[in-house]
Amino acid sequence: MADLLSAAEYAAIARKMTFATLSFVNGEAYTSVSGQTFSTSNPATNQVLAQVTACDARDVDVAVANAKQAFDDGRWHKLSPGERKKVLLRFADLLEHNAHELAVMESLDSGKPIRECQLTDIPETIHMIRWHAELIDKIYDNTAPVGSGALTLVVREAIGVVGLVLPWNFPLLMLAWKIGPSLAAGCSIIVKPAKETTLTALRVAQLAFEAGVPAGVFNVLSGGGKEVGEPLGRHMDVSMVSFTGSTATGRRFLNYAADSNLKHIVLECGGKNPAVVMDDVEDLDLVAGHVVNGAFWNMGENCSASSRLIVHADIKDELLKRIGVQLREWKMGSPLDPENRIGSMVSQAHFEKVRSYLEQAGVENLRVVFGGRTEGEIFVEPTVFDGVAADSRLFQEEIFGPVLAVTTFTTIDEAIALANDSVYGLAASVYTDNLRHAIKLSREIRAGVVTVNCFGEGDASTPFGGYKESGFGGRDKSIWAHDQYTEIKTIWIDVSER
């Protein structure tokens, strides 16, 4: 709590705040060809924050042309690794200097609780930029064992112009997951933030330019998916697109690549993630804390949320009691009050989607253990439903809201089958005090990230992404993320005697 300000102090920052509303292209504010704008609002209050530039395919052409020119003349990727590192570290310092401003801006634009923005999203954003900056001059290329007649080099080269298409649930953090490795690799980037949450991306682009990222290297185009995302995906001069969002939209990017230049596509998509709790667990309070955090962090608007609690029948009732105790600490209300851990849904449309699942639970006669209420047509209480069958929509579909579905099992094989009964495979958590069970569960659950006796996503050094319909083509975070923004080149030099 030491890093948090008071609710009054955050409110004061919000009152004085101004927003960048124009897109950012070639190192300067950019007005779209059409001159059109769209409103962005604080979902918690429905107050309009700003009118933001609405871009379209013509603006994509302008941004790509500038990014390509910046890449072709080498103003960024031909800098030495040490020089790029210094710029990115200055960039991270500027983000840190503006941490309170960015936290408030993020909360206002998304409905996220300010405590989450201040204590998690902003520090992790800064850390991600620093981590990839420090990686730049620590990656070695290779030679191949080809004999004395040749010298062979296997080298990485920046892939070129990259489109980075972001979700609305973690606007800054997902931005950092993508700009950290892509800028470190030497790419020129075009960021397409979600239309619901554009403001922080525009501010971050300004700070990157201030830190020394050259004009044309870091561009941001605001607007809708059809108007900006699709033209980026289809553009012949874009070499790669990294996308985080729904599986349905991710599929479209594969089609765009197939219909254009076979650009590289990396997708991090949906999840319906299990938390499996065995009956050998001794500390149920610890488990309850992790389950609650996994299910309700960021209002459940999280692709790795533990939205399915698969618990041994013998301990279910006791665990649910402990979960109820934990939920007392999860207050819902104004996102700018650091005492609150549950903010608003990101939009009215998303609120209606989440509420439809509460209604579906009524249709299925599921037992409401906790929550189930909504407030102000934008807030949803943390909600727990018991007795959810594997064929229920609440078990199978990604709700993306603060809803936990509880299902029981009696054998470990049944638990694994339930955990894997999903088209998704992004993340999973397992809770057991038996080492053999921990190994069996973590090996046999089909997910890209499996945590044991905790909820989490690893750290900057560990790759994040999913199996099945949760992902495609690569991973965010870690050195693997850096590598996917590069091409691998073999250089064969004939040194045989003539």
Side-chain angles (χ1 to χ4, degrees):
M1 296 293 288
D3 294 326
L4 289 171
L5 304 180
S6 67
E9 288 171 311
Y10 284 122
I13 293 172
R15 285 193 298 271
K16 297 177 182 177
M17 184 162 288
T18 59
F19 305 105
T21 59
L22 299 179
S23 289
F24 195 82
V25 175
N26 202 31
E28 58 188 11
Y30 172 83
T31 302
S32 63
V33 173
S34 70
Q36 297 296 308
T37 63
F38 63 90
S39 296
T40 189
S41 301
N42 178 348
T45 64
N46 205 33
Q47 176 188 0
V48 174
L49 298 172
Q51 297 293 324
V52 180
T53 295
C55 294
D56 60 28
R58 294 168 292 180
D59 306 300
V60 172
D61 287 339
V62 172
V64 172
N66 280 281
K68 186 175 185 300
Q69 177 61 46
F71 187 80
D72 288 347
D73 67 25
R75 68 187 72 168
W76 179 243
H77 76 86
K78 289 185 178 178
L79 293 179
S80 71
E83 289 176 300
R84 291 204 307 277
K85 172 182 172 179
K86 287 179 182 178
V87 172
L88 291 184
L89 289 176
R90 285 199 298 270
F91 176 34
D93 289 344
L94 284 175
L95 293 172
E96 189 167 46
H97 180 74
N98 291 274
H100 289 311
E101 172 201 359
L102 290 168
V104 172
M105 192 180 296
E106 189 90 321
S107 180
L108 290 174
D109 205 21
S110 68
K112 291 168 67 74
I114 189 67
R115 63 176 294 127
E116 209 169 274
C117 298
Q118 190 79 71
L119 298 181
T120 302
D121 292 18
I122 304 302
E124 289 299 315
T125 293
I126 296 165
H127 176 61
M128 190 64 60
I129 300 302
R130 287 189 173 134
W131 194 90
H132 281 286
E134 292 289 356
L135 183 66
I136 295 174
D137 58 3
K138 298 173 182 65
I139 300 177
Y140 290 80
D141 290 324
N142 298 287
T143 62
V146 297
S148 61
L151 173 64
T152 301
L153 307 178
V154 182
V155 300
R156 298 174 179 86
E157 294 184 350
I159 200 168
V161 177
V162 172
L164 306 176
V165 184
L166 306 179
W168 47 254
N169 58 331
F170 289 94
L172 272 172
L173 194 50
M174 296 302 97
L175 176 67
W177 281 19
K178 297 184 187 301
I179 66 175
S182 57
L183 289 175
C187 299
S188 293
I189 62 174
I190 300 167
V191 176
K192 190 274 176 204
K195 196 172 181 180
E196 295 89 342
T197 51
T198 300
L199 299 177
T200 48
L202 294 171
R203 178 62 177 137
V204 167
Q206 293 176 335
L207 294 174
F209 184 68
E210 183 180 339
V213 175
V217 172
F218 189 152
N219 309 276
V220 178
L221 292 180
S222 47
K226 183 71 174 176
E227 296 79 13
V228 178
E230 181 175 345
L232 267 178
R234 294 186 180 279
H235 205 289
M236 297 298 291
D237 288 328
V238 173
S239 299
M240 175 195 170
V241 169
S242 179
F243 166 82
T244 296
S246 72
T247 299
T249 302
R251 292 180 192 275
R252 296 192 189 109
F253 279 98
L254 295 178
N255 288 324
Y256 302 155
D259 292 342
S260 56
N261 60 343
L262 294 180
K263 58 178 59 65
H264 293 212
I265 300 291
V266 173
L267 306 176
E268 194 270 280
C269 300
K272 189 66 178 177
N273 312 290
V276 178
V277 184
M278 299 295 294
D279 60 345
D280 54 45
V281 169
E282 295 182 3
D283 191 345
L284 282 179
D285 289 322
L286 176 68
V287 174
H290 282 299
V291 169
V292 167
N293 189 44
F296 304 124
W297 172 47
N298 201 50
M299 294 75 68
E301 296 173 333
N302 178 15
C303 55
S304 64
S306 300
S307 55
R308 293 185 294 153
L309 174 57
I310 300 172
V311 56
H312 196 284
D314 290 349
I315 63 168
K316 181 200 72 173
D317 291 342
E318 185 60 33
L319 179 59
L320 289 180
K321 289 179 185 177
R322 309 294 179 93
I323 286 173
V325 172
Q326 293 283 341
L327 282 174
R328 295 172 189 167
E329 303 299 318
W330 287 68
K331 298 178 182 178
M332 182 173 71
S334 169
L336 281 183
D337 185 341
E339 294 298 315
N340 294 327
R341 300 182 72 172
I342 298 289
S344 72
M345 296 288 96
V346 73
S347 67
Q348 183 69 37
H350 189 61
F351 169 82
E352 295 296 342
K353 176 193 171 187
V354 175
R355 182 162 64 178
S356 74
Y357 283 97
L358 303 183
E359 295 168 353
Q360 176 65 28
V363 172
E364 296 182 18
N365 293 316
L366 299 177
R367 182 168 76 93
V368 182
V369 185
F370 305 108
R373 296 186 305 109
T374 62
E375 291 184 8
E377 298 296 302
I378 197 67
F379 291 86
V380 178
E381 256 189 336
T383 300
V384 180
F385 291 113
D386 189 16
V388 181
D391 60 356
S392 167
R393 288 181 57 201
L394 277 77
F395 187 93
Q396 294 291 341
E397 298 178 12
E398 184 179 40
I399 298 173
F400 227 61
V403 179
L404 177 63
V406 181
T407 306
T408 58
F409 68 90
T410 56
T411 70
I412 189 170
D413 289 334
E414 184 186 1
I416 292 167
L418 285 167
N420 287 333
D421 187 7
S422 173
V423 298
Y424 299 111
L426 184 56
S429 300
V430 300
Y431 300 89
T432 175
D433 286 338
N434 182 304
L435 180 59
R436 290 181 182 274
H437 287 167
I439 294 172
K440 182 178 176 67
L441 287 163
S442 58
R443 287 288 181 85
E444 295 192 22
I445 291 175
R446 303 276 297 164
V449 177
V450 180
T451 58
V452 179
N453 292 330
C454 64
F455 166 77
E457 298 175 347
D459 64 13
S461 68
T462 57
F464 181 84
Y467 289 19
K468 300 189 278 187
E469 294 184 21
S470 286
F472 177 88
R475 294 290 189 263
D476 286 315
K477 303 195 303 177
S478 79
I479 192 171
W480 281 272
H482 177 101
D483 282 353
Q484 69 199 11
Y485 293 99
T486 65
E487 293 277 23
I488 300 299
K489 176 181 284 186
T490 295
I491 301 174
W492 183 287
I493 303 171
D494 185 351
V495 295
S496 59
E497 294 184 8
R498 303 295 181 183

